[in-house]
Amino acid sequence: MKRDPAVCGELAEYLGQAGFRVRWATSIAQAELLVFEPVGLVVVDARLPDGDGLVFGRRLRSYTGCGVILCVAEADKALRITGLREGADACLVHPVDPEELEATLISVHRCLHSPAPRPVPCPVPSPWVLDREAHLLRAPNGQSMVINLPERCLLHALFGDAERRASRGDLVAELAAETSGYTEARLEALVSRLRAKVAAKCGMKLPLVSSYGHGYRFNGYVRML
């Protein structure tokens, strides 16, 4: 997953000819739509248009047990070190050499399938889906409910963040742009009502939790339409 479509296409073609089954995207949002079954390896650019590639890779690994290869700028030594410390299985620098990438994928795959215990791959969970045009929220159990404008703004702000979280101040600002006079107290009331509404309409607990010292976090697999 890289920002440049031409580079993505060239690397995907090379890996396909080498025997890999490849799906590629140029943003986290596009990649989310492609993850409909477990994957074995993911190659991510550290800096993507809509978020942190390593954060996405770690989140995907928590569902599938996949290996994560991080790509960074050649001059960004600190980011390479941070990436390896924070969960990347390997790190490559731009411009990525196709043969080096192939060898790295083989090496990481070999390590993942060594006798040492590794996470057991499992199906990607069904997502919470925010349909912005239809004003609907669909729960992982398939049940849907209509949401109002403040609820949609709240969920859009959380779903659109790479780490699925936002500060109270940012959320109040988002809501105030649609409804004047919004306060943190009204935000807390909105969250409370939304949790109760989801439980009643969809029969599931909404994984929207307070993030200590920050704001709110959505602890679930999500997708936006």
Side-chain angles (χ1 to χ4, degrees):
M1 185 170 64
K2 298 169 67 61
R3 291 171 290 182
D4 189 333
V7 174
C8 282
E10 291 173 3
L11 292 175
E13 182 179 3
Y14 178 89
L15 293 175
Q17 292 174 352
F20 289 88
R21 182 184 174 194
V22 183
R23 297 194 296 273
W24 61 272
T26 57
S27 68
I28 292 174
Q30 290 178 10
E32 295 276 16
L33 298 176
L34 297 176
V35 185
F36 48 81
E37 62 183 25
V39 296
L41 300 163
V42 60
V43 181
V44 291
D45 198 304
R47 305 185 190 280
L48 290 164
D50 53 351
D52 186 320
L54 182 57
V55 171
F56 171 77
R58 290 204 309 262
R59 186 167 71 246
L60 186 59
R61 179 165 57 195
S62 72
Y63 300 136
T64 67
C66 65
V68 179
I69 295 89
L70 183 68
C71 300
V72 302
E74 183 175 4
D76 210 336
K77 177 181 176 181
L79 183 57
R80 295 202 306 272
I81 294 172
T82 298
L84 291 170
R85 284 177 173 170
E86 294 188 359
D89 294 291
C91 192
L92 299 174
V93 298
H94 295 303
V96 176
D97 179 80
E99 291 186 12
E100 184 181 6
L101 175 58
E102 178 189 0
T104 301
L105 290 171
I106 292 171
S107 176
V108 171
H109 182 271
R110 183 167 56 241
C111 291
L112 288 174
H113 292 82
S114 68
R118 298 294 302 185
V120 178
C122 59
V124 176
S126 296
W128 291 84
V129 179
L130 174 62
D131 189 329
R132 289 167 289 178
E133 291 189 4
H135 294 199
L136 290 175
L137 176 67
R138 186 170 73 243
N141 63 4
Q143 297 297 312
S144 298
M145 70 175 205
V146 176
I147 54 175
N148 58 35
L149 181 57
E151 293 165 346
R152 185 169 48 127
C153 289
L154 170 66
L155 293 173
H156 180 267
L158 292 167
F159 283 25
D161 181 78
E163 297 187 25
R164 309 300 186 233
R165 68 178 185 174
S167 69
R168 286 180 170 80
D170 286 345
L171 290 173
V172 168
E174 289 273 352
L175 290 159
E178 300 292 343
T179 305
S180 61
Y182 231 89
T183 63
E184 287 198 14
R186 291 184 67 181
L187 170 63
E188 291 176 6
L190 172 65
V191 170
S192 179
R193 288 196 304 271
L194 181 58
R195 287 169 176 158
K197 184 176 175 181
V198 170
K201 299 285 187 180
C202 299
M204 289 189 69
K205 181 178 179 181
L206 187 70
L208 175 56
V209 299
S210 295
S211 179
Y212 180 74
H214 187 81
Y216 288 100
R217 184 177 68 253
F218 198 91
N219 286 343
Y221 189 57
V222 305
R223 184 168 297 168
M224 284 198 294
L225 303 177

